Amino acid sequence: MSMFADGLDQAVQKAFTRPIPKSAGAQMRYLVKQYKGTRAVAQMLRISQRTVERYVKDQIKKPRPDLAARLEREVKRRWQPQIRAKAKERAATTGGIVIDTRARLGYTAPIGSTDQDRIRHLTVALPPQHAARLLDAQDQGATDQELQQIAADALKEVYFQDGGRRAGSLEEVRFTDIEHLEFDL
């Protein structure tokens, strides 16, 4: 489960102006149009080409639960690419991104200070440069661990160090045991 990548995708999907197609046939027709053929869709969904053709003609209406989930995920991944790009650009240049999380956060600090991990519920507005780092890393295929580290670095700078006004000797922030994570553009 990729919690950070999925969270960023859900934040971008909130910018959609129209809902994705509801029925399996409409979703399948959309994918066939995007991929310009049934063979590529069949390979992507790991089903036969004939099954794709049956969905397109509405001969099959109700997919298996696992196929329905894959189908919806693939449609959402390709739905309204221009609006998706504009939302990401707006977040990376002017708007920033809001991270709402309940997780165990700890840090590495000099001797004599309290650096014990503890559960914190944070809602922090990250400036555009941090949003740009997160979204660019996701677009380049970063792993969930890498996205987690980028978010931890952003929280270190924005929340713990308050833009350089405090905790200047803070070295590293650990972001573990995530109970809740949500992004908003």
Side-chain angles (χ1 to χ4, degrees), residues 57-127:
K57 293 179 183 176
D58 281 330
Q59 292 174 345
I60 305 176
K61 296 192 185 281
K62 183 97 170 101
R64 301 180 316 268
D66 61 325
L67 176 59
R70 286 195 312 260
L71 184 60
E72 184 175 349
R73 186 179 64 242
E74 293 301 327
V75 170
K76 280 183 179 177
R77 185 180 294 169
R78 288 161 184 78
W79 189 249
Q80 294 188 331
Q82 292 174 336
I83 291 176
R84 180 186 303 270
K86 285 179 185 176
K88 285 183 176 183
E89 181 183 343
R90 187 172 46 253
T93 56
T94 58
I97 194 166
V98 176
I99 181 171
D100 179 39
T101 185
R102 180 168 167 77
R104 183 171 299 280
L105 290 162
Y107 46 87
T108 306
I111 296 175
S113 64
T114 304
D115 61 354
Q116 184 176 356
D117 292 4
R118 68 176 190 248
I119 297 283
R120 298 174 195 248
H121 183 197
L122 300 176
T123 302
V124 179
L126 301 178

Side-chain angles (χ1 to χ4, degrees), residues 107-110 156 159-162 164-171:
Y107 46 87
T108 306
K156 172 185 142 189
Y159 178 76
F160 289 105
Q161 293 182 330
D162 195 18
R165 288 191 277 279
R166 61 185 164 140
S169 59
L170 193 66
E171 297 170 15

Side-chain angles (χ1 to χ4, degrees), residues 120-141:
R120 298 174 195 248
H121 183 197
L122 300 176
T123 302
V124 179
L126 301 178
Q129 67 266 21
H130 296 295
R133 282 185 60 208
L134 269 171
L135 294 170
D136 288 344
Q138 182 195 22
D139 287 344
Q140 294 170 4

Side-chain angles (χ1 to χ4, degrees), residues 5-15 181-183:
D6 290 345
L8 289 170
D9 280 340
Q10 288 173 358
V12 171
Q13 289 169 9
K14 290 177 187 175
L181 178 72
E182 188 176 331
F183 292 98

